[in-house]
Amino acid sequence: MGLTSRPLEYVTIATAVVCVALTAWLWPRFAGRGARAWLGRLGSLAVTQGAMVAALALTVNAHFQFYGSWDELLGRGDEAPAALSDVPGGGAGAGGASGALVEPAPPQGLDRVHGLPAGPPERTGKVESVRILGRRSQVAGPAYVSLPPQYFQRQYARQRFPVIVAISGYPGGSFLLAQHLRVPQTAGDLIRRGTVQPAVIVMVRPTIAPPRDTQCVDVPGGPRAETYFAKDLPEALTRHYRIGHDPSAWGVLGYSSGGTCALQLAMRHPRVYSAAAALSPDYRVVNDPTTGDLFGGGPAGERRMREHDLMWRLRNLPRPEVSVLVASSRRGESNYGATRSFLAAVRPPMRAESIILDQGSHNFRTWRRELPAALRWMSGQLSFPQDVVRR
């Protein structure tokens, strides 16, 4: 049974209930003072507590999709694809271009997301579950791709679209962006109202080697997450979908660690992403128990760590020509002081704006309040591509 399957969830819950009932029924038999009674009490408590913790953990994971499979939980899988090669022509996928680096995938939880488009795609749009293959990083990352209704309409048949790469926090993935942050549902509503321009939204997670948190960093001798997001992902998407090639059509959005990634990617790769919206981000990447050593040792490792400190970059390096939006709360968010310092350090040609709530915690309720404004801001930053698909 799969890690997020309902049968496994129901079996573990039933097992926990049975263990509680058996403990209550057998407890009088363990009322003595001997070793057997003590071992019986300790054993029944251990088994019951273990069953309850397993049921709770599996239920929470199924709800939030922190880990989508046993391989992810145990740190296996996501190895290099068996074959990755350039296909100059290739068959036409959803975007009418080579689909060599974008593959259809099982639902990956998409079938459990509420409120997705239902109906003809030219009226409601469509959300696809795919795997995006990285030629350089040699990984295959799961993703959802939200295509607006205009993508399927005849008058837009040769038109390219802006693209927003949406990155979840750690350890979540595309499921959290769709189910709890409600990115495709919110964007679809804003597109229907005409308050944002139609865009392709690609929903991904920030790690390429779960359960390790790779923080969108190229680890020396390890996973090349930055390469994946800054080179492989744009290459694969532009081959498969009708999206713009110029940085002015590309933005990146994220919350929590995904927001940190969004800022890092835009400021470090302004020729790929021209805009970044970050909800509750950190402004530097550091090592912690979930990341392991991201930078390596010695002077080179110290240099790499400094270069992933955005305040250090603003003080010591030329400021990139990008636009950023950062969101925080005066009360309830630990990054409020750092956010003010970051905004104060921004100078032209870089541009920065902010969403500052009076109160809001580090959770989806806060991020859902900020998301519509962030999407409207992003729509105002991205240029609708003028180039068309040539036939």
Side-chain angles (χ1 to χ4, degrees):
M1 289 184 284
L3 181 62
T4 60
S5 67
R6 291 199 181 276
L8 180 61
E9 186 180 344
Y10 295 152
V11 166
T12 55
I13 292 173
T15 301
V17 171
V18 169
C19 286
V20 170
L22 284 174
T23 297
W25 182 52
L26 294 173
W27 196 258
R29 301 188 182 189
F30 303 140
R33 295 178 177 273
R36 182 178 178 182
W38 276 99
L39 290 174
R41 289 196 292 269
L42 291 174
S44 62
L45 288 174
V47 171
T48 301
Q49 292 292 328
M52 293 174 67
V53 169
L56 178 62
L58 284 169
T59 301
V60 170
N61 184 68
H63 185 63
F64 288 101
Q65 296 279 319
F66 294 126
Y67 300 103
S69 67
W70 292 107
D71 284 339
E72 286 188 11
L73 179 65
L74 299 174
R76 301 193 301 256
D78 276 326
E79 301 294 336
L84 286 180
S85 58
D86 266 333
V87 179
S98 169
L101 301 178
V102 177
E103 296 179 343
Q108 305 178 123
L110 187 62
D111 51 342
R112 302 174 66 170
V113 176
H114 302 298
L116 291 180
E122 63 273 13
R123 292 187 179 181
T124 63
K126 180 182 179 183
V127 181
E128 300 179 337
S129 176
V130 301
R131 287 198 324 153
I132 300 174
L133 312 182
R135 286 197 309 113
R136 302 167 186 83
S137 58
Q138 289 292 288
V139 298
Y144 299 159
V145 179
S146 176
L147 303 168
Q150 291 81 356
Y151 193 92
F152 302 95
Q153 294 170 4
R154 182 174 300 178
Q155 61 268 38
Y156 289 90
R158 297 180 61 198
Q159 177 64 58
R160 297 187 183 276
F161 288 80
V163 58
I164 301 171
V165 176
I167 307 177
S168 72
Y170 174 84
S174 309
F175 179 82
L176 297 186
L177 289 161
Q179 174 70 2
H180 297 287
L181 190 56
R182 300 185 64 78
V183 171
Q185 299 91 325
T186 304
D189 184 53
L190 294 173
I191 291 171
R192 283 190 297 273
R193 295 182 186 181
T195 56
V196 302
Q197 61 185 335
V200 172
I201 301 178
V202 183
M203 291 162 274
V204 294
R205 62 190 181 189
T207 178
I208 64 168
R212 185 179 186 180
D213 182 7
T214 48
Q215 285 277 344
C216 300
V217 170
D218 277 356
V219 181
R224 301 175 65 193
E226 186 172 10
T227 295
Y228 179 79
F229 287 108
K231 295 180 179 179
D232 289 341
L233 187 75
E235 175 190 46
L237 293 172
T238 52
R239 288 187 179 195
H240 191 72
Y241 295 102
R242 295 197 323 272
I243 54 179
H245 294 185
D246 191 82
S248 63
W250 281 72
V252 56
L253 175 151
Y255 67 87
S256 192
S257 348
T260 305
C261 282
L263 291 178
Q264 293 277 343
L265 289 169
M267 291 181 64
R268 291 172 60 83
H269 301 278
R271 294 185 180 180
V272 179
Y273 298 101
S274 63
L279 314 181
S280 304
D282 291 322
Y283 298 95
R284 63 190 182 114
V285 176
V286 297
N287 294 325
D288 65 32
T290 67
T291 66
D293 185 2
L294 293 173
F295 306 105
E302 294 177 3
R303 174 180 55 79
R304 283 190 286 267
M305 182 177 287
R306 279 196 309 270
E307 291 175 352
H308 283 83
D309 182 335
L310 299 184
M311 293 300 297
W312 182 89
R313 296 185 71 88
L314 289 175
R315 289 191 296 263
N316 295 278
L317 298 178
R319 293 171 178 86
E321 190 172 349
V322 294
S323 299
V324 299
L325 173 74
V326 292
S328 185
S329 305
R330 293 184 178 88
R331 290 178 294 165
E333 283 275 27
S334 61
N335 75 334
Y336 176 62
T339 297
R340 288 178 58 90
S341 298
F342 176 81
L343 292 168
V346 172
R347 298 285 185 278
M350 186 174 170
R351 299 171 298 279
E353 297 182 62
S354 64
I355 300 171
I356 304 296
L357 303 180
D358 287 333
Q359 184 168 354
S361 300
H362 199 82
N363 57 38
F364 285 106
R365 182 178 181 181
T366 297
W367 300 324
R368 282 194 298 267
R369 293 172 59 195
E370 298 164 341
L371 180 62
L375 289 173
R376 287 192 293 267
W377 176 88
M378 183 70 75
S379 180
Q381 307 305 311
L382 302 183
S383 300
F384 209 91
Q386 297 302 307
D387 57 326
V388 297
V389 177
R390 300 192 183 278
R391 297 183 186 274

